[in-house]
Amino acid sequence: MLMDLSGNWSLWYDHVTEPIHEEPPVKPDRIADGPMILPGILQGQGYGEEIKKDTQWVSGLHDPFWYEREEYQFAQEREVSIPFLCQPPRHFIGLAWYEREIEIREESGEEIYLHIELTRWRSYAWVDGEYKGSDCSLCTAHEINLGRLKKGAHTLTVLIDNRFQYPYRPDGHGVSDALGASWNGMAGDILLLSRGEIEKRDRQRKAYGAAHQRTMEVKDGMVFVDGRPEYFRGTHFGGDYPLTGSPSTELKWWKNLMKLIREWGFNFIRCHSLCPPEAAFLAADEEGIYLQSECGMWNVFNDGIPMEEVLKEETRRILRQFGHHPSFVLFSPTNEPSGSWYGPLKRWVKETRSFDEGLGYGGRRLYTAQSGWFYEVPPRDITGTDYIYFHRSAYGPLLGGNIRNHEGFKGKDYRESLEGAKLPVISHEMGQWCAYPDFSVIDKFTGYLKPGNYEVFRESARAKKLLELNQAFVRCSGKNQVMMYKEEFEANLRTPHIYGYEMLDLHDYMGQGTALVGVLDPFWENKGYVTADEFKQFNQETVILARISSYVIKNREPVTIPVELCHFGKKDLKDSIVTWKLEKEEQGKAVEVLEQGELKAVTASAGKNIPVDTLYLDLSYVTEPAKLKLTLFMEETENSWPLYVYPKKEEKEREHVLFTREWEEAKEALLSGGRVVFSPFLSQLDFDCPPLSIRPVFWNSQMGPGWCRSLGLMMNPGHPIFRRFPTEEHGGWQWEDILGSSRGFLLDEMPEGFEPVIRAIDDWNRNLSLGLLIEGRVGNGRLLLVSASLEGSFEERPAACHFKEALLSYAASWEFAPKEEIPVAAIEKHLFPNDRMKELGVRYVAENEAGVTNLSSLSEENPNTSVWIEKENYPISVDICIQEPVAVSGLLMVPDQKDRMHQGCVKDYVIEVEVEGEFKEAARGRFSASFLTQKTVWKDAVTTKAIRFTALSGYGQGERDEWEEREDGWYQVKGRGKAAIQAAGFHLILDGMTDGNDIAYWNENRKSRTKEIEE
């Protein structure tokens, strides 16, 4: 018997947060709250609570007082727009009863089961008011035995309880609001099945498995699939369905996704803390994509805790329901476990293998103890798992034993982090490089999830006069993002012991702060700055690899490039010829073939680190700065790299151009009608001019905030300057060294419509309008301001030297004729001596009653370090003590830059100045909840040796819901914001400047405080 229960139901629902009880909850004694169409989600049909600023989201990774932040005041006029996720139309956690009449036409004598393909989290069933049972799973279909039903009409009542049934971490993709998983309803098939039908389906699974054999084996440190070595080229998938909310169960949808994955060169999907529905496995079977399923968990594991039994039950359900699929080749219990997890999860591997064998599925898949963290032993000693799935080993000379990120870029690899490893390694959550949002995606949200976060960012950009640059920002930041992905993929392919990666992510991630890490948007559609064919140069079965140690080359230095292959195609290579071509490019287009040739023929079996030959280049014939492209070919495969070549030039004296690091000298020349190239010392730009980097934001700046939030550069390559310093619109690797000694100049005081020669793209949360190079008229003079240090020799910094020469040549030319007027005040507003407090020998003294952490950070100029001063309640004071009296006219407070919860953010304050032994009030006011410098000045300068800053109140002070990790899991508790001052600096406003320097002090303590973000 099979009866389809889709259609009209009646709904009762109660928002209930009390603890779970043993007895099934009773349906409310009232008329129904309304009709409900199933399959469906009640939040998507007008039920649940309206979204409010204090909605209790299932998430441990956001600031519950986000609505106080200055950067999130945008797009809040019509309805609440949440900045850290794409929000459902309504929110609901609680109990929902669904009821309908069913008609049993014939009595079969068999037991009848209620089958719900997908739901969250526990289900209960009644027939004619008689309780029949319950089921609980996040990963598989629910089935409840309704007994033998008599012929005739019956009332079927189903209760879905999407409250937390077990102490899971709230950020796992089976439960979290990050991607909309907290829905209540039923999805997929909702059926009545006879016992005979269930047994028939079990037999069909076994027959399917027998007809679709799969053999997985680890041998010689490699993974063999059906006897042939394999490399897992994967993308992360977190279970996001922006149009439907609930997982798609349509085979067509999943087949389209699998085809798309393959089109971009991938062969593998890692399902992060979730198990996908049947249609996903079937589509993967048909399209040749491998799947790693997980048990719906991101949890604590310690010996003997109840979570072990929960894991065992979900594991066995998954294997019974999906174990027959040949695509299901990898299996992990959990994402990034905490606790003493190694022992219990080694047991999971052993027990799961045994259970799989008992089902008749032995040898069809491999098992890992977990996805994410390093082990408590070095790689060579890891046992009890078939393969290692992590992003760092915690061993070796690289930071944290990293096997992702920049340590392996430019011809290097991560082998030192994996020394002695005997098991194959798959790199966990590789990539995570961001690009600026394309706001046209907002129009694609026509279903369940609403793009409130994108609307906040869009309106922020509009307010900052950046919205008209949106498509250019997307294009330029995107091309910079692809540069990072190419480097990281190739580093992975070069590294011994690694036989796979999971890119996070091929498409954008809509939650956890909004992580725009994909080259595809949330709807799996191309964002337009890279094609699938371009991407496959470094992401396919066979990839040609060139170990190029630097893309910036001095023309007289010999260039040596070892060439190798990573080949995991279906056939071995036999006498395959590798050829090469070197071309000159202008503005991204090849204009001339300079050289070409042939390397040795290759005969090799599947594998990596297959040596080809060494390519030697003599580029002494390149006598002007040039961008070249080196391309290597083998049969249908090619890969290419940029080379920026610079000849040594004699420095020219330019009589009519002043190059200076000192503003007063620059200003005097400008007001006298001179031509000036002004390069301020890095230490003399104010704290609202953040440092820049060629590496863009990692994951996102809500979850892992920092002072540097670069997303790349944007410029017009046709500008006369770039005839002498070739570039593309988005920049390129020749800018890496320059950006490493640079800061973005804030353009907030520039005239309406002002556009810099080079714009630095800031992260979409902060949306600062930043320039790296600006030009304009100041007084009667002409100014080029470059907010980078270009000091150093040609031998040390060839790109910086040529960029400086290009600036001076342009400034001396007739073409240097800017029309835009730049007010002197627009420059001077952002000049501030960062290290003045050190020069003054300032001491900071917190009041005796306060608990203090890291007070010494106030003596540093680095906004990446902060003091924490805490008391039971406000007010909280800190004294700023100076060795000798100085005339003080104000104070700057640099807010903490790295706490994603923004605790200790000062609100109301009073400032007192010591005069003749007494503290007298100089200023009182309210700071904004912002990452930007908070400034207060008083009417007349006061000569003093001591300033007292007192915080009277702070932001985020109300009751807050927090998630607390304990030995047996995660629990929601009530907390309160702490009375504290958390600040990166208190700086006095005085006349004059200090001696400047170019120390990139911000590179100290740059690492994120967020555990999950280990860039």
Side-chain angles (χ1 to χ4, degrees), residues 85-86 173 176-183 236-242 245 274 448-449 507-512:
L85 51 77
C86 288
H173 287 130
S176 177
D177 276 312
L179 295 177
S182 70
W183 52 273
H236 164 281
F237 178 63
D240 48 313
Y241 308 91
L274 64 90
Y448 180 72
L449 291 180
H507 79 312
D508 284 340
Y509 185 99
M510 298 176 291
Q512 291 188 12

Side-chain angles (χ1 to χ4, degrees), residues 530-548:
V530 63
T531 67
D533 285 343
E534 290 168 337
F535 199 85
K536 283 195 293 188
Q537 285 194 9
F538 52 85
N539 184 48
Q540 60 182 328
E541 290 180 343
T542 302
V543 177
I544 309 171
L545 300 165
R547 289 186 181 262
I548 302 173

Side-chain angles (χ1 to χ4, degrees), residues 468-484:
E468 64 184 22
L469 300 173
N470 184 227
Q471 290 306 306
F473 276 17
V474 172
R475 187 170 60 250
C476 291
S477 65
K479 287 183 179 295
N480 191 68
Q481 174 197 56
V482 173
M483 284 167 47
M484 301 303 119

Side-chain angles (χ1 to χ4, degrees), residues 270 292 294 332 334-337 368-373 389 428:
R270 180 246 174 154
Q292 174 171 297
E294 298 180 3
S332 173
T334 180
N335 179 66
E336 297 173 358
T368 186
Q370 54 94 39
S371 306
W373 293 135
Y389 203 109
H428 168 77

Side-chain angles (χ1 to χ4, degrees), residues 41 86-89 118 120 138 173-174 176-183 187 237-250 253-254 257-258 269 271-272 274-281 444-450 507-508 510 522-524:
I41 298 173
C86 288
Q87 62 207 62
L118 296 166
R120 295 285 186 272
L138 288 171
H173 287 130
S176 177
D177 276 312
L179 295 177
S182 70
W183 52 273
F237 178 63
D240 48 313
Y241 308 91
L243 296 180
T244 60
S246 60
S248 174
T249 57
E250 294 181 7
W253 189 91
W254 284 102
L257 179 59
M258 300 301 167
I269 298 176
C271 300
H272 181 306
L274 64 90
C275 179
E278 172 71 22
F281 289 98
K444 297 182 182 181
F445 284 87
T446 58
Y448 180 72
L449 291 180
K450 310 300 179 187
H507 79 312
D508 284 340
M510 298 176 291
F523 300 88
W524 299 91

Side-chain angles (χ1 to χ4, degrees), residues 10 52 69 76 94 136 213 221 254 280 288 291 489 518 578 586 595-596 678 727 794 861 923:
S10 296
K52 299 177 289 188
R69 298 294 298 174
Q76 305 296 343
C136 186
Q213 291 292 323
W254 284 102
L291 297 180
F489 277 52
V578 177
E586 292 180 0
E595 296 183 68
Q596 52 192 330
F678 173 48
T727 189
F794 172 79
E861 60 266 54

Side-chain angles (χ1 to χ4, degrees), residues 505-567:
D505 188 320
L506 178 58
H507 79 312
D508 284 340
Y509 185 99
M510 298 176 291
Q512 291 188 12
T514 315
L516 305 179
V517 294
V519 298
L520 308 183
D521 69 19
F523 300 88
W524 299 91
E525 294 179 350
N526 196 338
K527 295 198 284 189
Y529 47 77
V530 63
T531 67
D533 285 343
E534 290 168 337
F535 199 85
K536 283 195 293 188
Q537 285 194 9
F538 52 85
N539 184 48
Q540 60 182 328
E541 290 180 343
T542 302
V543 177
I544 309 171
L545 300 165
R547 289 186 181 262
I548 302 173
S549 59
S550 175
Y551 299 123
V552 174
I553 297 168
K554 299 184 284 290
N555 73 328
R556 295 287 180 181
E557 66 181 350
V559 180
T560 302
I561 303 173
V563 177
E564 63 189 66
L565 296 176
C566 182
H567 170 65

